[in-house]
PDB file of all heavy atoms in Angstrom:
ATOM      1  N   ILE A   1     -44.397   8.355   1.571  1.00 79.00           N
ATOM      2  CA  ILE A   1     -43.358   9.105   0.838  1.00 79.00           C
ATOM      3  C   ILE A   1     -42.357   9.712   1.808  1.00 79.00           C
ATOM      4  O   ILE A   1     -41.133   9.673   1.578  1.00 79.00           O
ATOM      5  CB  ILE A   1     -44.013  10.186  -0.036  1.00 79.00           C
ATOM      6  CG1 ILE A   1     -44.866   9.536  -1.138  1.00 79.00           C
ATOM      7  CG2 ILE A   1     -42.957  11.100  -0.655  1.00 79.00           C
ATOM      8  CD1 ILE A   1     -45.671  10.528  -1.944  1.00 79.00           C
ATOM      9  N   LEU A   2     -42.854  10.282   2.904  1.00 79.00           N
ATOM     10  CA  LEU A   2     -41.962  10.884   3.904  1.00 79.00           C
ATOM     11  C   LEU A   2     -41.046   9.835   4.509  1.00 79.00           C
ATOM     12  O   LEU A   2     -39.847  10.092   4.727  1.00 79.00           O
ATOM     13  CB  LEU A   2     -42.797  11.564   4.995  1.00 79.00           C
ATOM     14  CG  LEU A   2     -42.007  12.209   6.142  1.00 79.00           C
ATOM     15  CD1 LEU A   2     -41.093  13.313   5.615  1.00 79.00           C
ATOM     16  CD2 LEU A   2     -42.972  12.766   7.196  1.00 79.00           C
ATOM     17  N   PHE A   3     -41.573   8.649   4.777  1.00 79.00           N
ATOM     18  CA  PHE A   3     -40.755   7.577   5.352  1.00 79.00           C
ATOM     19  C   PHE A   3     -39.646   7.156   4.381  1.00 79.00           C
ATOM     20  O   PHE A   3     -38.487   6.967   4.785  1.00 79.00           O
ATOM     21  CB  PHE A   3     -41.646   6.378   5.684  1.00 79.00           C
ATOM     22  CG  PHE A   3     -40.891   5.182   6.182  1.00 79.00           C
ATOM     23  CD1 PHE A   3     -40.429   5.114   7.481  1.00 79.00           C
ATOM     24  CD2 PHE A   3     -40.613   4.114   5.331  1.00 79.00           C
ATOM     25  CE1 PHE A   3     -39.708   4.018   7.945  1.00 79.00           C
ATOM     26  CE2 PHE A   3     -39.907   3.011   5.775  1.00 79.00           C
ATOM     27  CZ  PHE A   3     -39.447   2.960   7.084  1.00 79.00           C
ATOM     28  N   ILE A   4     -39.985   7.025   3.107  1.00 75.00           N
ATOM     29  CA  ILE A   4     -38.980   6.640   2.108  1.00 75.00           C
ATOM     30  C   ILE A   4     -37.910   7.719   1.980  1.00 75.00           C
ATOM     31  O   ILE A   4     -36.703   7.420   1.898  1.00 75.00           O
ATOM     32  CB  ILE A   4     -39.666   6.379   0.753  1.00 75.00           C
ATOM     33  CG1 ILE A   4     -40.545   5.127   0.841  1.00 75.00           C
ATOM     34  CG2 ILE A   4     -38.639   6.208  -0.362  1.00 75.00           C
ATOM     35  CD1 ILE A   4     -41.364   4.859  -0.397  1.00 75.00           C
ATOM     36  N   MET A   5     -38.314   8.988   1.986  1.00 77.00           N
ATOM     37  CA  MET A   5     -37.343  10.091   1.897  1.00 77.00           C
ATOM     38  C   MET A   5     -36.439  10.118   3.122  1.00 77.00           C
ATOM     39  O   MET A   5     -35.230  10.370   3.002  1.00 77.00           O
ATOM     40  CB  MET A   5     -38.087  11.413   1.738  1.00 77.00           C
ATOM     41  CG  MET A   5     -38.834  11.561   0.415  1.00 77.00           C
ATOM     42  SD  MET A   5     -39.817  13.074   0.316  1.00 77.00           S
ATOM     43  CE  MET A   5     -38.503  14.319   0.358  1.00 77.00           C
ATOM     44  N   SER A   6     -37.013   9.849   4.293  1.00 76.00           N
ATOM     45  CA  SER A   6     -36.207   9.828   5.524  1.00 76.00           C
ATOM     46  C   SER A   6     -35.208   8.681   5.498  1.00 76.00           C
ATOM     47  O   SER A   6     -34.052   8.838   5.897  1.00 76.00           O
ATOM     48  CB  SER A   6     -37.124   9.709   6.746  1.00 76.00           C
ATOM     49  OG  SER A   6     -38.029  10.791   6.816  1.00 76.00           O
ATOM     50  N   ALA A   7     -35.652   7.506   5.016  1.00 73.00           N
ATOM     51  CA  ALA A   7     -34.744   6.366   4.898  1.00 73.00           C
ATOM     52  C   ALA A   7     -33.623   6.662   3.913  1.00 73.00           C
ATOM     53  O   ALA A   7     -32.467   6.288   4.129  1.00 73.00           O
ATOM     54  CB  ALA A   7     -35.530   5.126   4.455  1.00 73.00           C
ATOM     55  N   SER A   8     -33.964   7.350   2.828  1.00 73.00           N
ATOM     56  CA  SER A   8     -32.946   7.730   1.839  1.00 73.00           C
ATOM     57  C   SER A   8     -31.946   8.702   2.438  1.00 73.00           C
ATOM     58  O   SER A   8     -30.738   8.612   2.177  1.00 73.00           O
ATOM     59  CB  SER A   8     -33.627   8.348   0.618  1.00 73.00           C
ATOM     60  OG  SER A   8     -32.669   8.792  -0.322  1.00 73.00           O
ATOM     61  N   LEU A   9     -32.425   9.630   3.247  1.00 72.00           N
ATOM     62  CA  LEU A   9     -31.548  10.602   3.893  1.00 72.00           C
ATOM     63  C   LEU A   9     -30.576   9.923   4.849  1.00 72.00           C
ATOM     64  O   LEU A   9     -29.421  10.351   4.994  1.00 72.00           O
ATOM     65  CB  LEU A   9     -32.389  11.640   4.642  1.00 72.00           C
ATOM     66  CG  LEU A   9     -31.644  12.836   5.246  1.00 72.00           C
ATOM     67  CD1 LEU A   9     -30.945  13.637   4.144  1.00 72.00           C
ATOM     68  CD2 LEU A   9     -32.606  13.726   6.023  1.00 72.00           C
ATOM     69  N   MET A  10     -31.005   8.843   5.484  1.00 71.00           N
ATOM     70  CA  MET A  10     -30.136   8.095   6.397  1.00 71.00           C
ATOM     71  C   MET A  10     -29.123   7.232   5.649  1.00 71.00           C
ATOM     72  O   MET A  10     -28.202   6.685   6.249  1.00 71.00           O
ATOM     73  CB  MET A  10     -30.986   7.192   7.295  1.00 71.00           C
ATOM     74  CG  MET A  10     -31.590   7.918   8.490  1.00 71.00           C
ATOM     75  SD  MET A  10     -30.363   8.447   9.696  1.00 71.00           S
ATOM     76  CE  MET A  10     -29.716   6.880  10.263  1.00 71.00           C
ATOM     77  N   GLY A  11     -29.281   7.105   4.357  1.00 68.00           N
ATOM     78  CA  GLY A  11     -28.330   6.337   3.573  1.00 68.00           C
ATOM     79  C   GLY A  11     -28.767   4.928   3.253  1.00 68.00           C
ATOM     80  O   GLY A  11     -27.989   4.141   2.691  1.00 68.00           O
ATOM     81  N   PHE A  12     -30.015   4.569   3.585  1.00 67.00           N
ATOM     82  CA  PHE A  12     -30.511   3.244   3.248  1.00 67.00           C
ATOM     83  C   PHE A  12     -30.711   3.138   1.731  1.00 67.00           C
ATOM     84  O   PHE A  12     -31.132   4.114   1.085  1.00 67.00           O
ATOM     85  CB  PHE A  12     -31.841   2.961   3.957  1.00 67.00           C
ATOM     86  CG  PHE A  12     -31.699   2.718   5.425  1.00 67.00           C
ATOM     87  CD1 PHE A  12     -32.025   3.720   6.344  1.00 67.00           C
ATOM     88  CD2 PHE A  12     -31.239   1.505   5.910  1.00 67.00           C
ATOM     89  CE1 PHE A  12     -31.896   3.504   7.702  1.00 67.00           C
ATOM     90  CE2 PHE A  12     -31.113   1.280   7.268  1.00 67.00           C
ATOM     91  CZ  PHE A  12     -31.437   2.284   8.167  1.00 67.00           C
ATOM     92  N   PRO A  13     -30.428   1.989   1.149  1.00 66.00           N
ATOM     93  CA  PRO A  13     -30.633   1.800  -0.293  1.00 66.00           C
ATOM     94  C   PRO A  13     -32.118   1.686  -0.611  1.00 66.00           C
ATOM     95  O   PRO A  13     -32.689   0.585  -0.646  1.00 66.00           O
ATOM     96  CB  PRO A  13     -29.891   0.491  -0.588  1.00 66.00           C
ATOM     97  CG  PRO A  13     -29.886  -0.246   0.704  1.00 66.00           C
ATOM     98  CD  PRO A  13     -29.842   0.796   1.792  1.00 66.00           C
ATOM     99  N   VAL A  14     -32.772   2.826  -0.810  1.00 61.00           N
ATOM    100  CA  VAL A  14     -34.219   2.865  -1.001  1.00 61.00           C
ATOM    101  C   VAL A  14     -34.637   2.079  -2.233  1.00 61.00           C
ATOM    102  O   VAL A  14     -35.658   1.393  -2.237  1.00 61.00           O
ATOM    103  CB  VAL A  14     -34.692   4.335  -1.113  1.00 61.00           C
ATOM    104  CG1 VAL A  14     -36.194   4.392  -1.382  1.00 61.00           C
ATOM    105  CG2 VAL A  14     -34.356   5.079   0.162  1.00 61.00           C
ATOM    106  N   THR A  15     -33.823   2.143  -3.315  1.00 65.00           N
ATOM    107  CA  THR A  15     -34.150   1.411  -4.541  1.00 65.00           C
ATOM    108  C   THR A  15     -34.225  -0.086  -4.276  1.00 65.00           C
ATOM    109  O   THR A  15     -35.139  -0.783  -4.722  1.00 65.00           O
ATOM    110  CB  THR A  15     -33.106   1.694  -5.631  1.00 65.00           C
ATOM    111  OG1 THR A  15     -33.025   3.103  -5.842  1.00 65.00           O
ATOM    112  CG2 THR A  15     -33.503   1.010  -6.928  1.00 65.00           C
ATOM    113  N   SER A  16     -33.256  -0.569  -3.511  1.00 61.00           N
ATOM    114  CA  SER A  16     -33.263  -1.994  -3.166  1.00 61.00           C
ATOM    115  C   SER A  16     -34.455  -2.339  -2.286  1.00 61.00           C
ATOM    116  O   SER A  16     -35.049  -3.412  -2.409  1.00 61.00           O
ATOM    117  CB  SER A  16     -31.957  -2.356  -2.444  1.00 61.00           C
ATOM    118  OG  SER A  16     -30.844  -2.069  -3.262  1.00 61.00           O
ATOM    119  N   LEU A  17     -34.806  -1.396  -1.384  1.00 56.00           N
ATOM    120  CA  LEU A  17     -35.940  -1.633  -0.497  1.00 56.00           C
ATOM    121  C   LEU A  17     -37.246  -1.728  -1.290  1.00 56.00           C
ATOM    122  O   LEU A  17     -38.062  -2.621  -1.066  1.00 56.00           O
ATOM    123  CB  LEU A  17     -36.038  -0.493   0.536  1.00 56.00           C
ATOM    124  CG  LEU A  17     -37.208  -0.553   1.519  1.00 56.00           C
ATOM    125  CD1 LEU A  17     -37.145  -1.809   2.368  1.00 56.00           C
ATOM    126  CD2 LEU A  17     -37.236   0.698   2.394  1.00 56.00           C
ATOM    127  N   VAL A  18     -37.428  -0.814  -2.247  1.00 60.00           N
ATOM    128  CA  VAL A  18     -38.636  -0.831  -3.078  1.00 60.00           C
ATOM    129  C   VAL A  18     -38.691  -2.114  -3.913  1.00 60.00           C
ATOM    130  O   VAL A  18     -39.748  -2.731  -4.076  1.00 60.00           O
ATOM    131  CB  VAL A  18     -38.680   0.418  -3.986  1.00 60.00           C
ATOM    132  CG1 VAL A  18     -39.830   0.314  -4.978  1.00 60.00           C
ATOM    133  CG2 VAL A  18     -38.808   1.680  -3.150  1.00 60.00           C
ATOM    134  N   THR A  19     -37.513  -2.514  -4.441  1.00 62.00           N
ATOM    135  CA  THR A  19     -37.456  -3.758  -5.223  1.00 62.00           C
ATOM    136  C   THR A  19     -37.826  -4.952  -4.368  1.00 62.00           C
ATOM    137  O   THR A  19     -38.569  -5.849  -4.798  1.00 62.00           O
ATOM    138  CB  THR A  19     -36.049  -3.950  -5.806  1.00 62.00           C
ATOM    139  OG1 THR A  19     -35.719  -2.808  -6.597  1.00 62.00           O
ATOM    140  CG2 THR A  19     -35.984  -5.199  -6.661  1.00 62.00           C
ATOM    141  N   LEU A  20     -37.310  -4.970  -3.136  1.00 57.00           N
ATOM    142  CA  LEU A  20     -37.619  -6.056  -2.223  1.00 57.00           C
ATOM    143  C   LEU A  20     -39.107  -6.106  -1.903  1.00 57.00           C
ATOM    144  O   LEU A  20     -39.717  -7.180  -1.874  1.00 57.00           O
ATOM    145  CB  LEU A  20     -36.810  -5.893  -0.924  1.00 57.00           C
ATOM    146  CG  LEU A  20     -37.052  -6.946   0.161  1.00 57.00           C
ATOM    147  CD1 LEU A  20     -36.660  -8.333  -0.349  1.00 57.00           C
ATOM    148  CD2 LEU A  20     -36.258  -6.599   1.419  1.00 57.00           C
ATOM    149  N   LEU A  21     -39.709  -4.931  -1.697  1.00 56.00           N
ATOM    150  CA  LEU A  21     -41.143  -4.891  -1.421  1.00 56.00           C
ATOM    151  C   LEU A  21     -41.945  -5.372  -2.630  1.00 56.00           C
ATOM    152  O   LEU A  21     -42.962  -6.057  -2.489  1.00 56.00           O
ATOM    153  CB  LEU A  21     -41.568  -3.465  -1.054  1.00 56.00           C
ATOM    154  CG  LEU A  21     -41.079  -2.943   0.296  1.00 56.00           C
ATOM    155  CD1 LEU A  21     -41.499  -1.493   0.486  1.00 56.00           C
ATOM    156  CD2 LEU A  21     -41.615  -3.796   1.437  1.00 56.00           C
ATOM    157  N   GLY A  22     -41.456  -5.032  -3.827  1.00 58.00           N
ATOM    158  CA  GLY A  22     -42.139  -5.474  -5.031  1.00 58.00           C
ATOM    159  C   GLY A  22     -42.103  -6.974  -5.187  1.00 58.00           C
ATOM    160  O   GLY A  22     -43.104  -7.615  -5.516  1.00 58.00           O
ATOM    161  N   THR A  23     -40.931  -7.575  -4.940  1.00 56.00           N
ATOM    162  CA  THR A  23     -40.809  -9.033  -5.068  1.00 56.00           C
ATOM    163  C   THR A  23     -41.533  -9.760  -3.945  1.00 56.00           C
ATOM    164  O   THR A  23     -41.883 -10.931  -4.075  1.00 56.00           O
ATOM    165  CB  THR A  23     -39.329  -9.443  -5.047  1.00 56.00           C
ATOM    166  OG1 THR A  23     -38.711  -8.942  -3.845  1.00 56.00           O
ATOM    167  CG2 THR A  23     -38.592  -8.879  -6.259  1.00 56.00           C
ATOM    168  N   SER A  24     -41.757  -9.052  -2.839  1.00 54.00           N
ATOM    169  CA  SER A  24     -42.469  -9.664  -1.711  1.00 54.00           C
ATOM    170  C   SER A  24     -43.952  -9.323  -1.727  1.00 54.00           C
ATOM    171  O   SER A  24     -44.652  -9.531  -0.739  1.00 54.00           O
ATOM    172  CB  SER A  24     -41.856  -9.192  -0.378  1.00 54.00           C
ATOM    173  OG  SER A  24     -40.475  -9.457  -0.342  1.00 54.00           O
ATOM    174  N   GLY A  25     -44.428  -8.782  -2.848  1.00 52.00           N
ATOM    175  CA  GLY A  25     -45.814  -8.319  -2.933  1.00 52.00           C
ATOM    176  C   GLY A  25     -46.828  -9.406  -2.642  1.00 52.00           C
ATOM    177  O   GLY A  25     -47.832  -9.164  -1.972  1.00 52.00           O
ATOM    178  N   LEU A  26     -46.564 -10.617  -3.162  1.00 48.00           N
ATOM    179  CA  LEU A  26     -47.523 -11.705  -2.948  1.00 48.00           C
ATOM    180  C   LEU A  26     -47.623 -12.060  -1.477  1.00 48.00           C
ATOM    181  O   LEU A  26     -48.727 -12.225  -0.932  1.00 48.00           O
ATOM    182  CB  LEU A  26     -47.094 -12.934  -3.754  1.00 48.00           C
ATOM    183  CG  LEU A  26     -47.995 -14.165  -3.617  1.00 48.00           C
ATOM    184  CD1 LEU A  26     -49.412 -13.840  -4.062  1.00 48.00           C
ATOM    185  CD2 LEU A  26     -47.434 -15.333  -4.415  1.00 48.00           C
ATOM    186  N   THR A  27     -46.469 -12.167  -0.813  1.00 52.00           N
ATOM    187  CA  THR A  27     -46.459 -12.497   0.611  1.00 52.00           C
ATOM    188  C   THR A  27     -47.152 -11.421   1.432  1.00 52.00           C
ATOM    189  O   THR A  27     -47.965 -11.706   2.322  1.00 52.00           O
ATOM    190  CB  THR A  27     -45.011 -12.676   1.104  1.00 52.00           C
ATOM    191  OG1 THR A  27     -44.363 -13.668   0.310  1.00 52.00           O
ATOM    192  CG2 THR A  27     -44.994 -13.083   2.565  1.00 52.00           C
ATOM    193  N   ILE A  28     -46.828 -10.160   1.100  1.00 48.00           N
ATOM    194  CA  ILE A  28     -47.449  -9.046   1.829  1.00 48.00           C
ATOM    195  C   ILE A  28     -48.955  -9.021   1.577  1.00 48.00           C
ATOM    196  O   ILE A  28     -49.755  -8.788   2.483  1.00 48.00           O
ATOM    197  CB  ILE A  28     -46.803  -7.713   1.409  1.00 48.00           C
ATOM    198  CG1 ILE A  28     -45.325  -7.691   1.842  1.00 48.00           C
ATOM    199  CG2 ILE A  28     -47.545  -6.533   2.011  1.00 48.00           C
ATOM    200  CD1 ILE A  28     -44.565  -6.491   1.330  1.00 48.00           C
ATOM    201  N   GLY A  29     -49.343  -9.311   0.322  1.00 51.00           N
ATOM    202  CA  GLY A  29     -50.761  -9.323  -0.007  1.00 51.00           C
ATOM    203  C   GLY A  29     -51.524 -10.378   0.764  1.00 51.00           C
ATOM    204  O   GLY A  29     -52.631 -10.136   1.235  1.00 51.00           O
ATOM    205  N   LEU A  30     -50.912 -11.569   0.898  1.00 49.00           N
ATOM    206  CA  LEU A  30     -51.554 -12.635   1.664  1.00 49.00           C
ATOM    207  C   LEU A  30     -51.657 -12.275   3.137  1.00 49.00           C
ATOM    208  O   LEU A  30     -52.653 -12.563   3.801  1.00 49.00           O
ATOM    209  CB  LEU A  30     -50.781 -13.952   1.482  1.00 49.00           C
ATOM    210  CG  LEU A  30     -50.855 -14.578   0.083  1.00 49.00           C
ATOM    211  CD1 LEU A  30     -49.911 -15.782  -0.002  1.00 49.00           C
ATOM    212  CD2 LEU A  30     -52.282 -14.980  -0.265  1.00 49.00           C
ATOM    213  N   ALA A  31     -50.586 -11.646   3.642  1.00 48.00           N
ATOM    214  CA  ALA A  31     -50.575 -11.280   5.057  1.00 48.00           C
ATOM    215  C   ALA A  31     -51.579 -10.170   5.354  1.00 48.00           C
ATOM    216  O   ALA A  31     -52.135 -10.101   6.451  1.00 48.00           O
ATOM    217  CB  ALA A  31     -49.173 -10.844   5.470  1.00 48.00           C
ATOM    218  N   LEU A  32     -51.804  -9.321   4.369  1.00 49.00           N
ATOM    219  CA  LEU A  32     -52.680  -8.171   4.580  1.00 49.00           C
ATOM    220  C   LEU A  32     -54.022  -8.315   3.865  1.00 49.00           C
ATOM    221  O   LEU A  32     -54.682  -7.327   3.575  1.00 49.00           O
ATOM    222  CB  LEU A  32     -51.977  -6.889   4.103  1.00 49.00           C
ATOM    223  CG  LEU A  32     -50.669  -6.522   4.793  1.00 49.00           C
ATOM    224  CD1 LEU A  32     -50.087  -5.265   4.162  1.00 49.00           C
ATOM    225  CD2 LEU A  32     -50.868  -6.324   6.289  1.00 49.00           C
ATOM    226  N   GLN A  33     -54.404  -9.553   3.561  1.00 55.00           N
ATOM    227  CA  GLN A  33     -55.626  -9.735   2.789  1.00 55.00           C
ATOM    228  C   GLN A  33     -56.851  -9.202   3.517  1.00 55.00           C
ATOM    229  O   GLN A  33     -57.799  -8.709   2.888  1.00 55.00           O
ATOM    230  CB  GLN A  33     -55.819 -11.202   2.431  1.00 55.00           C
ATOM    231  CG  GLN A  33     -55.888 -12.144   3.614  1.00 55.00           C
ATOM    232  CD  GLN A  33     -56.045 -13.589   3.165  1.00 55.00           C
ATOM    233  OE1 GLN A  33     -56.421 -13.858   2.037  1.00 55.00           O
ATOM    234  NE2 GLN A  33     -55.738 -14.514   4.041  1.00 55.00           N
ATOM    235  N   GLY A  34     -56.817  -9.271   4.849  1.00 57.00           N
ATOM    236  CA  GLY A  34     -57.929  -8.707   5.607  1.00 57.00           C
ATOM    237  C   GLY A  34     -58.004  -7.196   5.438  1.00 57.00           C
ATOM    238  O   GLY A  34     -59.084  -6.628   5.225  1.00 57.00           O
ATOM    239  N   SER A  35     -56.836  -6.528   5.505  1.00 65.00           N
ATOM    240  CA  SER A  35     -56.795  -5.082   5.338  1.00 65.00           C
ATOM    241  C   SER A  35     -57.182  -4.682   3.920  1.00 65.00           C
ATOM    242  O   SER A  35     -57.891  -3.688   3.710  1.00 65.00           O
ATOM    243  CB  SER A  35     -55.389  -4.554   5.660  1.00 65.00           C
ATOM    244  OG  SER A  35     -55.060  -4.800   7.009  1.00 65.00           O
ATOM    245  N   LEU A  36     -56.716  -5.473   2.929  1.00 68.00           N
ATOM    246  CA  LEU A  36     -57.078  -5.190   1.541  1.00 68.00           C
ATOM    247  C   LEU A  36     -58.577  -5.360   1.329  1.00 68.00           C
ATOM    248  O   LEU A  36     -59.202  -4.608   0.575  1.00 68.00           O
ATOM    249  CB  LEU A  36     -56.293  -6.101   0.598  1.00 68.00           C
ATOM    250  CG  LEU A  36     -54.769  -5.884   0.568  1.00 68.00           C
ATOM    251  CD1 LEU A  36     -54.102  -6.911  -0.331  1.00 68.00           C
ATOM    252  CD2 LEU A  36     -54.441  -4.472   0.102  1.00 68.00           C
TER     253      LEU A  36
END
């Protein structure tokens, strides 16, 4: 949460970033399957 708030404070489009992470969920899940 702190990282997202800091990115928002810097002017990064946090909404777009969250959307991108959501659409990349499958790829991230496969990459992190060991951690999961």
Side-chain angles (χ1 to χ4, degrees):
I1 295 173
L2 178 61
F3 176 78
I4 292 174
M5 293 175 65
S6 300
S8 177
L9 187 61
M10 278 292 296
F12 287 102
V14 177
T15 304
S16 301
L17 178 61
V18 172
T19 303
L20 178 62
L21 290 176
T23 56
S24 305
L26 179 59
T27 304
I28 295 173
L30 291 173
L32 299 178
Q33 58 181 342
S35 297
L36 294 176

